[in-house]
Amino acid sequence: MPSLISIKDLDKETLVKICYRALEIKKNGFQESLKSKIVATLFFEPSTRTCMSFETAIYRLGAQALRFPTDNSSLKKGESIEDTIRMAASYADCVVIRHPQEGLVLWAQKFCECPLINGGDGKNEHPTQTILDLVTLFEDRESLDGITITIAGDLKHSRTVTSLLHALSFFDLKIILAAPQNFELSSSSRTIISSQIICETENLSEALDTDYFYMTRLQKERFDGITGIETKDYWVVDLEKCKTYGRDSMKIMHPLPRVDEISVDLDDSPYQLYFTQASNGVYARIAVLEYVLGYL
Ligand code: NCD
């Protein structure tokens, strides 16, 4: 059975199929399709949405969640992470792992026989976030062809950006990159979407001339030092800027958590799509669990 370690594990057809399955579940309601299954969730890094939506997805599928107590396990006695993951994989039918170390989930595959799902590994990848991002886009419009999407914020350290850009490379759409100085996209990610980039800017007003504005927070846990950017108003998206520079139908997306980069005055506005994204996480993760457990 397949694992989902990187968004690159999926071809376009499979990716779209998983997204449409998620939308089908949203439309038709939950079915307990994985009733006898056990899914272990090992989160070695803080998480609100990914952890809670995976657990909700597990319960909605009629499966059982095996939650790993990071503060109260034999890791405290000196047990290795390898043995910890090995145990979870021997008890459960599928293991979801989030860990601050890049590549850890790929490495874990060597000693796990059951499917693994990457819930975010350092600044590397976050494939299930990308799936829920695409589910949200497909819910908002039938085709992504011809649209413009801005990817903004900390493009250098955001794993959500790396995974999302790879998925966007499958579609005939235009990309605007907006990053503060020293937070620009890595050359490896840039290569994948080089023919789609229509503008690179540090100027938010220019980047708001778009269909979707995907913002990310500064990933402070992944770099040292104070940037000063977070206190600067020019790097905050608010209602006034959206009205002045944005397209009327523009939507603001964000993987969340937000810190200051999206003003709360957008929460009740027609621009807001970030809470819809977060709630779509449950449907997306149900479809992912069905995929890795062979039910799709
Ligand atoms: C993201 C992550 O963990 O990478 N959050 C999430 O899973 N929704 C984004 C972030 O932490 O900024």
Side-chain angles (χ1 to χ4, degrees), residues 98-112:
R98 168 173 284 198
H99 196 279
Q101 196 180 316
E102 279 172 57
L104 183 122
V105 192
L106 181 63
W107 166 76
Q109 238 188 337
K110 284 193 208 149
F111 47 84
C112 291

Side-chain angles (χ1 to χ4, degrees), residues 147-218:
I147 64 163
T148 301
I149 178 159
T150 296
I151 311 290
D154 187 349
L155 307 187
K156 188 173 175 183
H157 306 99
S158 295
R159 55 193 174 199
T160 57
V161 169
T162 313
S163 296
L164 179 59
L165 288 177
H166 185 84
L168 294 182
S169 73
F170 288 142
F171 301 93
D172 183 16
L173 48 76
K174 291 170 252 175
I175 295 173
I176 297 173
L177 298 176
Q181 213 178 14
N182 301 323
F183 290 87
E184 293 94 351
L185 192 66
S186 70
S187 52
S188 54
S189 288
R190 190 181 299 263
T191 312
I192 307 166
I193 46 138
S194 58
S195 63
Q196 294 166 291
I197 302 173
I198 55 163
C199 169
E200 278 195 65
T201 182
E202 235 192 287
N203 182 345
L204 275 197
S205 51
E206 208 177 344
L208 282 163
D209 181 13
T210 190
D211 296 307
Y212 296 93
F213 187 96
Y214 191 106
M215 187 57 136
T216 55
R217 73 179 169 92
L218 298 180

